[in-house]
Amino acid sequence: MTKNHEPHYTENVQEHLHQVQSLLDKHELVEMLARKQEIPRQERHELLDNILHKQHLAELQDKLSKLHSSDIAFILEALPIEQRLLVWDLVKADCDGEILIEVSDSVRESLIATMSREELREAAEQLDTDEIADLAHDLPHAVIRDVFKSLTIEEREQLRAAMSYPEDAVGALMDFDMVTIREHVTLEVVSRYLRRFDEMPDHTDQLFVVDRDDIFKGVLPLNRLLVNEPDVTVSKLMLTDTIKLHSDDKAEKAAQAFERYDLVSAPVVEEDGKLVGRVTVNTVMDYIRSESESDILNTAGLRGEEDIFASVWKSVKNRWMWLALNLCTAFFASRVIGEFENTIEKLVALAALMPIVAGIAGNSANQTATIIIRSLALGQLNQANAKRLIGKELTIAALNGLIWGGVAGLFAYFLYKSVLLGVILTGAMVLNLVLGALAGLLIPLSMQRMGRDPAIGSSVMLTAITDSGGFFIFLGLAALFLIH
């Protein structure tokens, strides 16, 4: 279904973004000057039309027509809302669908909101069924019904199948544009069959061998097809021991397989062995990028992807949940300090030193959590090796506490001429680093056990634990050994 466009690849998309922004600035400048002219409304309208639309906007439209849809998507994401919508109106209608697939979810929402039902239908009809499924959750139900009616019976079944899988399943990543052959035919027959195509599906590095019931038998790499004699049968050259993905598998598993075995494409089969689609490396890379961005946002406590030029109120709502939790933990930490007011009054040096205990432990805890989250994402951490890894991380935290706590203790001794204060600072850093490491281990593991993303809010929770714990440990030791 996707229309064939001549791709325009670019080496420096930042340069094109700068050129587009420059043209938009010129457009706004001329428009502002024209509006300041004291001339009748009709004449001013004609002036704007002649100066703007025939000059800067025409130049901008010509610039956009030469760019790849991925580059246009990047430019749209980097523009404020008003300029974004102006550029969107200038984009050729026959590539709207491709651009909507490329932009982020939050930006796609702002673009779709400006499109009519007919425009959305035409944009969706430009796409393959697996791409329509990716876009479906953002489209109005009426548009989906219109698109569904325009599909063939086979495409309708493919769309139903693609929409039936969860977002994190292999089935949601697969496409249906693949070449299948029979095992009993010769390479000459296969070559004649391939020459009937106008072009091969993207990322075709192998042909999939199936029987009459579409049961997957193996793959025939294209390099074997090219270098062997035409009268050799497919069954003699095909590979049967190959990587197969199941549609209900986690998408994470597919990503690991592609990374581990340097795959370009892989077949997707059902439980009965029937071939239903394939996964390609470009889709896997998009998934990995999306998951990486999601992990970064989750670690910072953001609830979801945020359009950098979204309204202030929308951005505030996206950020306030974990900020509210952080405020609660900050009040808790302040109460910990409040319980030791008398101790701090007797030895003011404690107020200057206690942020050191909390800060170093917070950094160490985040390092531990990052290692654990990465191990979980790669599938390297399991019940068999969890205890050993936990022991290792706690040992590292204790050693770092002794080393850097000792350094901090020496500084405290030289500054305040108190050996006991230096020893207490060292001990507090050891204990708080171990506490931080324990939190960095348990928070991601607990999140995964509950079926949640291990990265969600980890940074916020770790900061709360290391701050409150650090203040309590340091001030508690000081009250016990220095004051009393």
Side-chain angles (χ1 to χ4, degrees):
M1 287 177 61
T2 304
K3 296 181 180 179
N4 294 325
H5 300 292
E6 185 67 27
H8 301 277
Y9 298 101
T10 57
E11 295 182 358
N12 189 354
V13 69
Q14 289 287 348
E15 180 180 343
H16 293 294
L17 172 60
H18 176 73
Q19 292 172 359
V20 168
Q21 288 174 324
S22 177
L23 289 171
L24 287 168
D25 290 341
K26 291 178 182 178
H27 163 74
E28 292 179 355
L29 177 61
V30 175
E31 187 178 32
M32 180 184 66
L33 293 175
R35 286 174 177 171
K36 289 182 178 180
Q37 300 300 316
E38 296 181 357
I39 54 179
R41 185 182 184 89
Q42 181 62 30
E43 293 182 19
R44 184 171 66 187
H45 177 76
E46 294 176 358
L47 176 64
L48 285 171
D49 184 68
N50 290 330
I51 293 178
L52 301 177
H53 292 278
K54 292 184 179 179
Q55 185 179 348
H56 295 138
L57 294 186
E59 186 178 351
L60 180 58
Q61 190 170 29
D62 180 65
K63 174 69 179 177
L64 293 170
S65 67
K66 296 177 181 178
L67 294 180
H68 192 275
S69 57
S70 297
D71 293 332
I72 296 176
F74 175 85
I75 290 171
L76 289 171
E77 291 176 351
L79 294 176
I81 296 292
E82 298 79 9
Q83 293 184 341
R84 177 188 300 162
L85 297 181
L86 175 61
V87 169
W88 181 238
D89 287 338
L90 297 176
V91 172
K92 287 184 177 180
D94 56 358
C95 61
D96 283 356
E98 298 173 11
I99 297 172
L100 286 175
I101 287 292
E102 294 292 339
V103 295
S104 63
D105 291 345
S106 54
V107 172
R108 184 186 304 135
E109 181 181 336
S110 69
L111 299 178
I112 288 178
T114 67
M115 300 175 71
S116 66
R117 176 174 172 176
E118 183 64 22
E119 288 173 333
L120 288 171
R121 183 187 63 80
E122 291 177 356
E125 288 178 349
Q126 299 166 12
L127 305 173
D128 294 324
T129 48
D130 58 293
E131 294 173 325
I132 296 174
D134 293 338
L135 202 60
H137 66 281
D138 292 317
L139 297 176
H141 293 298
V143 174
I144 293 296
R145 286 198 301 269
D146 292 342
V147 173
F148 195 77
K149 292 177 182 178
S150 68
L151 300 176
T152 64
I153 294 177
E154 181 183 5
E155 289 170 340
R156 290 178 186 180
E157 291 302 318
Q158 291 176 349
L159 181 57
R160 283 196 189 98
M163 293 178 64
S164 67
Y165 296 105
E167 290 185 5
D168 61 345
V170 167
L173 299 183
M174 71 177 178
D175 68 61
F176 306 97
D177 195 11
M178 56 187 175
V179 181
T180 59
I181 57 176
R182 300 281 190 265
E183 60 182 321
H184 63 271
V185 300
T186 64
L187 299 188
E188 182 180 5
V189 173
V190 173
S191 297
R192 286 204 307 268
Y193 172 62
L194 295 180
R195 285 194 290 271
R196 294 167 56 187
F197 290 86
D198 293 330
E199 61 180 5
M200 296 288 283
D202 291 339
H203 302 93
T204 297
D205 65 319
Q206 56 190 359
L207 309 179
F208 301 110
V209 184
V210 297
D211 63 14
R212 294 185 181 276
D213 297 319
D214 287 332
I215 301 299
F216 178 74
K217 295 296 183 181
V219 298
L220 176 65
L222 287 183
N223 59 351
R224 294 196 174 197
L225 171 65
L226 296 174
V227 301
N228 282 277
E229 296 297 328
D231 57 349
V232 179
T233 61
V234 171
S235 59
K236 292 184 179 180
L237 296 176
M238 72 179 192
L239 303 177
T240 56
D241 185 16
T242 184
I243 299 296
K244 291 183 295 185
L245 302 174
H246 291 84
S247 55
D248 293 326
D249 287 343
K250 291 292 185 181
E252 188 177 303
K253 179 179 178 181
Q256 293 171 0
F258 270 73
E259 187 274 332
R260 187 178 302 117
Y261 302 112
D262 297 327
L263 302 177
V264 176
S265 67
V268 180
V269 299
E270 297 285 15
E271 291 184 1
D272 59 0
K274 184 177 181 179
L275 180 69
V276 291
R278 65 168 186 159
V279 174
T280 55
V281 63
N282 61 319
T283 307
V284 171
M285 289 182 65
D286 288 342
Y287 169 79
I288 293 173
R289 183 189 66 181
S290 175
E291 287 299 299
S292 299
E293 292 173 352
S294 178
D295 285 345
I296 293 172
L297 294 171
N298 287 335
T299 301
L302 292 173
R303 293 190 296 174
E305 184 183 76
E306 181 180 311
D307 179 0
I308 59 174
F309 293 108
S311 67
V312 172
W313 180 241
K314 190 172 183 179
S315 296
V316 166
K317 289 193 295 182
N318 187 41
R319 304 182 191 190
W320 68 15
M321 184 180 73
W322 286 101
L323 290 177
L325 177 61
N326 205 357
L327 180 61
C328 294
T329 58
F331 272 119
F332 180 76
S334 70
R335 292 313 308 147
V336 171
I337 297 173
E339 292 297 319
F340 293 94
E341 283 182 1
N342 294 332
T343 303
I344 296 174
E345 287 177 357
K346 294 177 182 177
L347 189 59
V348 180
L350 298 177
L353 295 175
M354 63 184 185
I356 298 175
V357 180
I360 296 296
N363 193 339
S364 176
N366 276 308
Q367 291 175 345
T368 300
T370 301
I371 293 295
I372 298 301
I373 292 170
R374 177 182 178 276
S375 301
L376 291 171
L378 295 177
Q380 297 172 340
L381 185 59
N382 51 50
Q383 291 183 346
N385 58 23
K387 289 184 178 179
R388 179 171 296 181
L389 181 59
I390 290 173
K392 175 195 169 186
E393 289 299 321
L394 292 178
T395 303
I396 292 172
L399 284 175
N400 278 330
L402 283 172
I403 294 170
W404 299 110
V407 172
L410 285 174
F411 274 103
Y413 167 71
F414 286 122
L415 287 172
Y416 301 104
K417 308 303 180 185
S418 172
V419 175
L420 186 55
L421 179 61
V423 172
I424 289 174
L425 180 61
T426 301
M429 287 188 65
V430 172
L431 293 175
N432 203 29
L433 258 70
V434 171
L435 174 65
L438 197 59
L441 288 161
L442 296 181
I443 289 174
L445 291 173
S446 300
M447 285 289 188
Q448 189 193 48
R449 185 175 289 270
M450 292 186 294
R452 305 288 298 278
D453 188 334
I456 292 179
S458 60
S459 178
V460 177
M461 289 186 283
L462 288 175
T463 301
I465 291 172
T466 53
D467 282 359
S468 302
F471 296 153
F472 180 80
I473 292 170
F474 180 55
L475 296 176
L477 291 176
L480 183 62
F481 293 104
L482 276 177
I483 308 303
H484 299 298

